[in-house]
Amino acid sequence: MKSKSIAVVGAAETTRMGVVPELSNLGLNLDAALNAMADAGLIPKDIDGVATAGEHPWSVAASLGITPKWVDGTNVGGCSYMLHVRHAAAAIAAGYCTTVLITHGESGRSQVAPARYAENPASLFGQFEAPYGLGVPVTQVTLPAMRYLKETGTTEEDLALLAVIQREWALKNPRAQTKVPITVDEVLGSPMICYPFRRLLCCLVTDGGGALILTSAERAKDFPTKPVYIMGTGEGVEHPIVSMMHDFTTSRAFRLSGEAAFGSAGITHTDVDHLMLYDPFAHVPFYALEDLGFCKRGEAKYFYRERRAAIGGALPVNTNGGGLSYQHSGMYGMFALQESVRQMRGAAAAQIEGAKISVCHGIGSMFSAAGTIIFTNEA
Amino acid sequence: MRSARPLPTPETQNFWDGCRAGELRLQRCRACHQVYFPPRPFCPHCTSRDLDAFTASGRATLYSYIINHRPRPDMGTEPHSIAVVTLEEGPRMMTNIIGCPQTPEALQLDMELQVVFEVQNETITLPFFKPLSHEAEV
């Protein structure tokens, strides 16, 4: 795919977010899809490609009356939507379809008809991890952190500072679930969930969703929305279970994804104006800053200590408040993409003036996968 | 007793048989001599199917861990460690560190550990790790 040959022409989140018991898991996907189609001025018969994770693409397509020529049900965890963007761009470039709808919806909090994954005691996880008390993500994706902290000299206070800075961003956003400021001391005094992770170092659990519509840059000119171009993309995977992660201080999936995205975009890190780094727990953006090459190994801590990620900082990060303070339904990647698109449209609640390039990076499952999309608003 | 129990597959049966016999079995490739885990019938480094299973020393060091303060219902009510250890032979595995307080003070990264086995039922015995006691070796 040629850089900037594909564009986002529709983007929207669900009508309501946070606690939405009146919609099912699938219903949240469909609500987001209707909002994204309205945003783009499209109706279902205009859509000929569908991608989603959690729910099946056929459920989304059939419910909306779409007859797709192309589908993608890639599910590699919360960064699945980054991979959908990448795959959709390639599919449009290849001529398989012209207009792709990507949806996310998850009843993470209310658990209304959730997409369930059956536990398999014969899987690698079932045999070699689950017997030791692992289950929800806070017992898995957090495991590398102690090694990272020791090897890099990063502290629990550094993790807490990230949470504080993201809360500052969230307070500028009326759609954010959290409404009160927090301090480092308050973060470090919040209840212990899985040492060293306290409640305020963990993501929210909310209901919500979002959807994107992609088409060719040529067609994008005819849409009512300001086109946001796909400049570069990457994806990567590493392991099925976190105990098989090669090095607990760096993610191979992150590095692969980042290298591919920057390589295909043809930009350097100093070109980037805005950054979204999926933060299910506070340590993950530290890995992303280093593995994507924004910081040298072990130096992401200075990025936060010097408030470079904060309001007024040199490279604003997670300007919606992130999974820690904005919304987190379970597969958060779509919300990171939505904020990148808003920033490129100039329509974000905490808008970065003059931002032209936004990098959006997601983690999938337990450091198992990664996806990176680089957006620009310049054709 | 914990409810999440492994269901061995043909590829992993020898490992679980080893645990029942009090042996921590690893696989070594006869072609490239790499040791690996979890078990599979070919070498993940060079794809050779020419393998050797052997009993590991059972010594390990603590690579990383968490202390779960909200245990799964079958794991009791007290905070417990979930740990990844590096075996003396190189591979890593998930486990719990037992036989010591479940506190950051007692659980120091890189501390030396020794495997211990605990019977779960007639087919499954799980390997756990406890702090290495040098006195016990004499």
Side-chain angles (χ1 to χ4, degrees):
Chain A
M1 184 207 97
K2 189 168 160 284
S3 183
K4 300 193 273 191
S5 64
I6 308 295
V8 175
V9 293
E13 292 171 336
T14 44
T15 309
R16 294 207 315 120
M17 297 206 294
V19 184
V20 193
E22 70 273 19
L23 285 175
S24 66
N25 209 75
L26 177 60
L28 289 163
N29 279 272
L30 304 176
D31 180 61
L34 292 172
N35 289 343
M37 284 191 284
D39 182 57
L42 296 178
I43 58 174
K45 76 171 180 54
D46 299 322
I47 307 288
D48 61 358
V50 172
T52 193
E55 298 295 335
H56 284 287
W58 55 59
S59 302
V60 170
S63 300
L64 292 166
I66 294 168
T67 306
K69 295 180 196 163
W70 175 90
V71 295
D72 184 7
T74 300
N75 188 342
V76 291
C79 68
S80 297
Y81 311 100
M82 283 77 172
L83 274 68
H84 294 161
V85 168
R86 187 172 204 237
H87 302 172
I92 294 166
Y96 296 159
C97 51
T98 64
T99 313
V100 173
L101 169 71
I102 303 169
T103 74
H104 164 69
E106 195 163 356
S107 184
R109 180 163 181 142
S110 300
Q111 294 287 306
V112 182
R116 289 233 184 270
Y117 305 95
E119 287 186 19
N120 177 359
S123 67
L124 286 171
F125 180 74
Q127 289 192 69
F128 299 110
E129 292 197 345
Y132 299 105
L134 287 85
V136 291
V138 72
T139 63
Q140 298 187 51
V141 73
T142 53
L143 266 158
M146 285 290 282
R147 177 55 58 179
Y148 175 86
L149 296 183
K150 176 165 179 168
E151 299 289 332
T152 63
T154 306
T155 64
E156 291 174 50
E157 285 76 11
D158 290 321
L159 300 181
L161 181 56
L162 177 143
V164 168
I165 286 172
Q166 290 197 190
R167 182 62 61 89
E168 290 166 4
W169 282 115
L171 294 177
K172 293 173 78 79
N173 194 326
R175 299 255 299 171
Q177 187 73 4
T178 57
K179 306 290 184 195
V180 294
I182 51 174
T183 66
V184 166
D185 286 346
E186 284 168 352
V187 175
L188 295 178
S190 63
M192 191 66 82
I193 307 295
C194 274
Y195 173 82
F197 288 86
R198 295 168 182 277
R199 180 170 292 157
L200 291 173
L201 298 173
C202 301
C203 62
L204 305 166
V205 181
T206 59
D207 304 325
L212 295 170
I213 296 172
L214 274 64
T215 192
S216 68
E218 198 180 338
R219 288 188 66 221
K221 294 172 194 143
D222 301 329
F223 282 77
T225 50
K226 178 178 179 177
V228 177
Y229 301 96
I230 311 297
M231 200 178 194
T233 64
E235 65 190 274
V237 298
E238 182 173 353
H239 49 259
I241 50 177
V242 69
S243 56
M244 291 175 75
M245 185 173 177
H246 180 70
D247 180 342
F248 272 22
T249 70
T250 174
S251 163
R252 189 184 78 187
F254 282 19
R255 297 196 308 274
L256 287 169
S257 184
E259 284 165 17
F262 275 89
S264 55
I267 61 165
T268 62
H269 294 80
T270 54
D271 296 324
V272 178
D273 303 308
H274 172 248
L275 190 51
M276 294 300 293
L277 302 173
Y278 187 157
D279 56 330
F281 301 96
H283 62 314
V284 177
F286 288 80
Y287 285 74
L289 281 169
E290 295 173 14
D291 290 336
L292 295 182
F294 287 97
C295 297
K296 288 183 186 149
R297 190 84 177 269
E299 294 190 356
K301 59 181 181 284
Y302 302 121
F303 200 88
Y304 283 95
R305 289 177 193 175
E306 293 165 9
R307 293 182 59 85
R308 278 181 259 166
I311 296 168
L315 180 54
V317 180
N318 291 346
T319 50
N320 59 354
L324 297 180
S325 283
Y326 177 62
Q327 299 286 339
H328 194 292
S329 54
M331 294 167 78
Y332 167 84
M334 176 58 80
F335 298 100
L337 290 164
Q338 293 286 334
E339 175 67 6
S340 279
V341 170
R342 284 192 295 263
Q343 288 286 350
M344 292 296 92
R345 287 178 167 183
Q351 182 62 40
I352 309 306
E353 287 307 318
K356 292 173 180 158
I357 295 179
S358 175
V359 173
C360 188
H361 177 78
I363 179 175
S365 196
M366 310 306 153
F367 282 107
S368 305
T372 313
I373 304 297
I374 302 180
F375 295 100
T376 183
N377 48 24
E378 292 188 320
Chain B
M1 191 63 74
R2 39 194 85 189
S3 62
R5 293 203 198 103
L7 181 61
T9 62
E11 294 91 338
T12 63
Q13 188 64 54
N14 187 52
F15 174 82
W16 294 113
D17 289 346
C19 290
R20 281 174 64 197
E23 297 177 0
L24 189 69
R25 291 180 188 166
L26 294 175
Q27 291 171 307
R28 181 192 290 116
C29 174
R30 287 201 182 99
C32 74
H33 309 294
Q34 294 267 7
V35 178
Y36 62 87
F37 181 84
R40 72 210 79 167
F42 56 89
C43 171
H45 302 281
C46 76
T47 71
S48 169
R49 297 171 195 260
D50 187 12
L51 310 170
D52 187 27
F54 70 101
T55 301
S57 70
R59 298 245 189 134
T61 53
L62 181 55
Y63 186 53
S64 203
Y65 72 93
I66 56 171
I67 302 170
N68 189 0
H69 284 246
R70 302 168 100 191
R72 218 170 53 194
D74 61 314
M75 295 293 291
T77 55
E78 293 300 309
H80 70 86
S81 62
I82 296 174
V84 176
V85 300
T86 306
L87 302 176
E88 189 171 57
E89 293 80 4
R92 296 207 187 102
M93 60 185 297
M94 191 70 74
T95 192
N96 304 122
I97 309 301
I98 62 174
C100 69
Q102 302 292 287
T103 61
E105 294 72 28
L107 296 164
Q108 295 288 331
L109 292 195
D110 302 312
M111 67 191 287
E112 294 184 293
L113 304 163
Q114 176 70 44
V115 72
V116 284
F117 294 95
E118 287 192 1
V119 175
Q120 303 297 302
N121 63 15
E122 57 276 17
T123 57
I124 293 299
T125 294
L126 287 176
F128 297 94
F129 285 79
K130 66 176 184 182
L132 179 67
S133 165
H134 289 280
E135 293 78 19
E137 293 168 26
V138 182

